[in-house]
Every structure is written in structure tokens, then in C-alpha cells.
Amino acid sequence: MIALTVVRKDKGVTQAGLSNLTGIAEPQISAIENKHIKPCDEWQARIVKALDWERNPAELFQDVSV
């Protein structure tokens, strides 16, 4: 699991909600979270902003253990 999934859920945001906040289609959000695709820099920036992530943006897309 990547940190994005944990942070998104902790903030009470669904994949559909994140899609609405970022303009990134929900299937792409799912694909990012499931590590099927790597988000481009622009998508990363949109996700970071939407989730108010203040740490290193790269950390949001790294594996975490829960």
C-alpha cells in the first residue's frame, strides 16, 4: 500500500472525492494507489495540493506498512 491511500482515507476522502479535487479520473487514482501506474509530476502536484500534504511529495507515493 502506498502512503497516498492511508492519507486519503485518514482525511475521509474517497477515490471519487480525490478525483473531483484533482481533475484526475477515478480509475487513474485507483491505478496510482494500486501501483499500476506512476503519476506524472503534474498529477503528483495536484494530489499533494488536494490532500494538503506538507511533507516531501515523493513520500506520498512510497510504500508503507499498516
Side-chain angles (χ1 to χ4, degrees):
M1 177 179 304
I2 65 171
L4 167 60
T5 306
V6 176
V7 171
R8 177 182 60 74
K9 289 180 178 181
D10 283 350
K11 291 184 177 271
V13 178
T14 64
Q15 286 183 347
L18 186 57
S19 174
N20 289 333
L21 291 170
T22 61
I24 302 167
E26 188 176 348
Q28 276 67 41
I29 298 291
S30 176
I32 292 166
E33 289 190 1
N34 289 300
K35 301 188 310 184
H36 295 297
I37 62 171
K38 183 178 188 246
C40 65
D41 291 342
E42 180 183 340
W43 283 8
Q44 287 185 25
R46 289 188 209 174
I47 293 168
V48 164
K49 183 177 178 181
L51 294 176
D52 295 321
W53 182 255
E54 296 181 357
R55 296 167 54 180
N56 181 342
E59 292 178 17
L60 194 57
F61 301 96
Q62 293 178 348
D63 288 326
V64 294
S65 57
V66 286

